[in-house]
Amino acid sequence: MNYPINNFKRNAIALVAFAAIGLAGCSDNDDNTPAPVAPPVVAPVMQDYSVTVTNLTANQPMSPIAVVAHTNDSTLWSTGMPASVALETLAESGDSSTLTDETGVNELISGAGILVPGGTETISVSLEQADVADLSVVTMLVNTNDAFTGTTGFDLTALAVDESSTLRVIAYDAGTEANSEAKGTIPGPADGGEGFNAARDDNDKVHAHPGVISMDDGLMDSVLSASHRFDNPVLLIKITRTK
């Protein structure tokens, strides 16, 4: 008499087991879409340059050379125009650090230290290809009030690999400090005086430097001697593309 009931139970158990197997086969993991693959990291293409500078003066040490990479629509100075505060700071004290605040500047590389008269230094520059545009090189003649030298807006794109360009550059006057040569006004070893002073007491225009008038030339208040005179050019710059 119990057979039909037992048979019913067995059938019910079988149906439950079958349903469980079916549900297990209907999980949410049947999406065959491949997992996203991160794009490979591509190293930037670099272009390398060397900048070799030689101090051509007899007794004018130069502040650590500043090599500045910047866009081709900017320059660090223009003759006949007022110097920026950053250029004034360099021309009066030899400190180039604030040149990084200038419009369009991508990179500033500084030399190892003071470039002595007759000394030569080579500075390496490595730039991402997208940033290759113009280069400026600038330094202060430290036994002066506000003389500097260098070049601005050199077109790096004009150089092929292993090609060089040599420049002989003059001394400029920042036009921000009178060339008094007086004691306490010159930061170099001839005086050890003041560096940057925000007050401007000259014609406030960048121009070719007129040269030093020393105590040996009759400027009795000068701390400079005839040895501190300089003739143009005062700096030799060789820019080479190495890679």
Side-chain angles (χ1 to χ4, degrees), residues 80-152:
M81 299 297 293
S84 67
V85 174
L87 181 65
E88 177 187 10
T89 301
L90 179 139
E92 294 181 8
S93 71
D95 179 8
S96 65
S97 61
T98 57
L99 291 176
T100 56
D101 298 331
E102 296 291 83
T103 301
V105 170
N106 296 320
E107 190 166 354
L108 166 65
I109 305 99
S110 295
I114 294 293
L115 184 65
V116 298
T120 294
E121 181 179 9
T122 296
I123 300 170
S124 297
V125 181
S126 186
L127 301 172
E128 290 191 25
Q129 194 172 50
D131 291 335
V132 173
D134 283 5
L135 199 74
S136 294
V137 182
V138 61
T139 178
M140 177 194 183
L141 284 68
V142 299
N143 282 330
T144 67
N145 289 100
D146 62 344
F148 70 96
T149 185
T151 186
T152 188

Side-chain angles (χ1 to χ4, degrees), residues 8-9 13 16 36 39-40 45 50 69 82 84 87 104 116 130 133-134 142 160 167 192 211 224 229 239:
F8 175 79
K9 288 181 177 179
I13 292 170
V16 171
V45 178
S50 67
S84 67
L87 181 65
V116 298
D134 283 5
V142 299
L167 310 170
L224 304 182
R229 297 173 186 158
I239 303 172

Side-chain angles (χ1 to χ4, degrees), residues 176-233:
T176 57
E177 183 176 310
N179 298 329
S180 66
E181 303 175 19
K183 183 174 179 57
T185 68
I186 292 175
D191 180 28
E194 180 184 58
F196 172 69
N197 186 324
R200 298 192 176 192
D201 60 356
D202 201 354
N203 65 4
D204 204 18
K205 294 179 182 179
V206 176
H207 55 280
H209 200 285
V212 167
I213 303 174
S214 70
M215 65 177 74
D216 295 326
D217 302 306
L219 185 59
M220 300 313 298
D221 291 336
S222 175
V223 296
L224 304 182
S225 68
S227 70
H228 298 111
R229 297 173 186 158
F230 50 84
D231 294 319
N232 289 315

Side-chain angles (χ1 to χ4, degrees), residues 70-78 102-103 134 136 152-153:
H70 53 89
T71 56
N72 59 15
D73 57 354
S74 63
T75 56
L76 297 188
W77 70 87
S78 180
E102 296 291 83
T103 301
D134 283 5
S136 294
T152 188

